[in-house]
Amino acid sequence: MINAQILAALRTFEVAARALSFTRAAEQLHVTTGAVSQQIKHLETQLGFKLFERLPRGLNLTGEGQQLYLVVHKSLQDLDGCVQRLQRQMLEGQIRFRSTPSLLFKWLVPRLHLFQAGYPDIRVETFAEESLLRTEPRDFDLAIDYSFGVYRELVATPLLQETLFPVASPEYLDTRNWKDPASWHDVTLLHDSMAWHEARRDAEWRFYLDEAGLGAVDSDRGHYFNRADLAMEAAAAGLGVALARGRLIDSDLERGRLVALLPALPSCCSYYLIHRPGALDNPRIRVFFEWLCQLPDVSI
């Protein structure tokens, strides 16, 4: 009967037999040449016959070694193939994913083809919430929310930092001196009235104005929308000044539809990746979770 030690040594033997070199085998296995040599010697002792002829300039397989190599090589190939098939089967299926429309449309959807290319057997069922992400009922596997990161009975992982800055149409830009605090007192502000859970309708503008040294400006005026992208569209149409989130505005700035009026400042909220405890035990969910965590470094 083949014991566990022999099974482990057979893997080393297969690599050494393919390379006909203990040194190259050691490099592939990330061990020392001496460790490979000792393992082969121990295997030969256990089996009762020589596997290699040690030559001045290399190695040759003995007749017994050649026969064993053919069987071991095929067996390992079959084993690797079986494991890969089983792993693919574990990754087949659906993931229920939720987030707010602005983030899905502006940030995630343009990148989803990258995930599909790597994991074609995983289907991502993507739902956009009307405005704020609702965590009740919890009919999702993974979700991204813009918040302070505090959730009851859910695990929240920081995903993306956010910045805030005021934007307007190019025509609106020339209407006043935006660096002069006095110019802001009669500006039409365009709000995302549901910026985060339980936020006051002017909370995001109030935060930015205070941080930008414009605390005297009345933030509770202008027009209100229940989605950030609607406020951006209103700004592009020349209705007033919207407060942009840096992660969602790049394309509009590049196309010249909107222009920044003042420098960006760190937001009070961030984007969090949330899930139920234990959800990452599912291989499909874990793969998508890990892929999302790498996305901040990906350019499109």
Side-chain angles (χ1 to χ4, degrees):
M1 180 179 293
I2 297 177
N3 59 37
Q5 285 185 329
I6 291 179
L7 285 174
L10 285 173
R11 174 59 175 162
T12 301
F13 162 71
E14 192 273 341
V15 175
R18 255 190 301 116
L20 288 178
S21 166
F22 290 166
T23 300
R24 288 196 294 273
E27 292 172 354
Q28 293 182 42
L29 296 169
H30 305 289
V31 297
T32 65
T33 302
V36 172
S37 179
Q38 287 298 317
Q39 199 164 20
I40 295 299
K41 286 181 180 178
H42 181 71
L43 179 61
E44 289 175 330
T45 299
Q46 292 288 312
L47 296 177
F49 52 81
K50 292 290 185 182
L51 299 171
F52 293 98
E53 295 177 5
R54 278 73 166 175
L55 304 174
R57 294 189 177 182
L59 299 172
N60 273 340
L61 286 166
T62 63
E64 294 83 358
Q66 182 65 37
Q67 293 179 57
L68 184 63
Y69 169 71
L70 293 174
V71 173
V72 171
H73 179 68
K74 184 179 185 306
S75 298
L76 289 175
Q77 281 189 323
D78 291 345
L79 181 61
D80 287 343
C82 180
V83 169
Q84 290 176 20
R85 285 193 300 274
L86 292 172
Q87 289 176 332
R88 284 196 298 270
Q89 290 172 12
M90 292 179 67
L91 292 177
E92 290 177 358
Q94 177 179 292
I95 295 172
R96 299 168 304 165
F97 179 75
R98 275 167 165 59
S99 190
T100 53
S102 301
L103 185 69
L104 287 176
F105 179 69
K106 295 286 189 178
W107 185 80
L108 182 64
V109 169
R111 294 165 163 84
L112 270 179
H113 70 283
L114 301 172
F115 182 77
Q116 183 182 37
Y119 303 95
D121 296 323
I122 298 179
R123 302 185 308 277
V124 181
E125 187 180 46
T126 304
F127 291 91
E129 298 288 357
E130 292 179 0
S131 179
L132 294 176
L133 181 69
R134 291 174 296 152
T135 58
E136 293 286 355
R138 295 169 189 166
D139 53 346
F140 60 85
D141 298 312
L142 285 173
I144 297 177
D145 194 22
Y146 181 64
S147 71
F148 295 97
V150 179
Y151 299 91
R152 292 184 59 188
E153 301 177 5
L154 291 171
V155 179
T157 301
L159 181 66
L160 295 164
Q161 299 291 321
E162 187 55 284
T163 57
L164 302 172
F165 52 94
V167 295
S169 67
E171 296 76 19
Y172 206 90
L173 172 69
D174 298 327
T175 61
R176 63 193 70 206
N177 177 10
W178 298 101
K179 294 183 179 179
D180 180 3
S183 298
W184 284 86
H185 288 288
D186 61 346
V187 170
T188 300
L189 301 182
L190 306 175
H191 299 261
D192 175 0
S193 62
M194 302 173 69
W196 56 81
H197 184 60
E198 295 184 344
R200 271 180 17 197
R201 65 179 191 162
D202 66 332
E204 204 164 36
W205 261 115
R206 183 71 270 151
F207 172 81
Y208 181 87
L209 292 169
D210 289 343
E211 292 295 306
L214 298 169
V217 175
D218 178 16
S219 60
D220 191 14
R221 69 176 195 276
H223 301 289
Y224 295 85
F225 306 86
N226 72 333
R227 285 170 45 171
D229 53 349
L230 295 179
M232 297 304 106
E233 288 302 312
L239 185 60
V241 179
L243 194 59
R245 297 174 193 160
R247 296 285 181 180
L248 311 180
I249 199 70
D250 285 348
S251 62
D252 290 319
L253 295 175
E254 290 170 3
R255 292 159 54 197
R257 295 182 73 239
L258 292 168
V259 292
L261 306 181
L262 291 176
L265 298 174
S267 173
C268 54
C269 290
S270 298
Y271 295 102
Y272 288 85
L273 188 55
I274 61 176
H275 57 82
R276 293 182 300 277
L280 299 188
D281 294 339
N282 182 304
R284 292 189 303 278
I285 299 174
R286 173 166 285 281
V287 162
F288 194 45
F289 174 89
E290 292 175 348
W291 180 80
L292 287 168
C293 287
Q294 296 300 315
L295 268 184
D297 298 323
V298 176
S299 298
I300 58 171

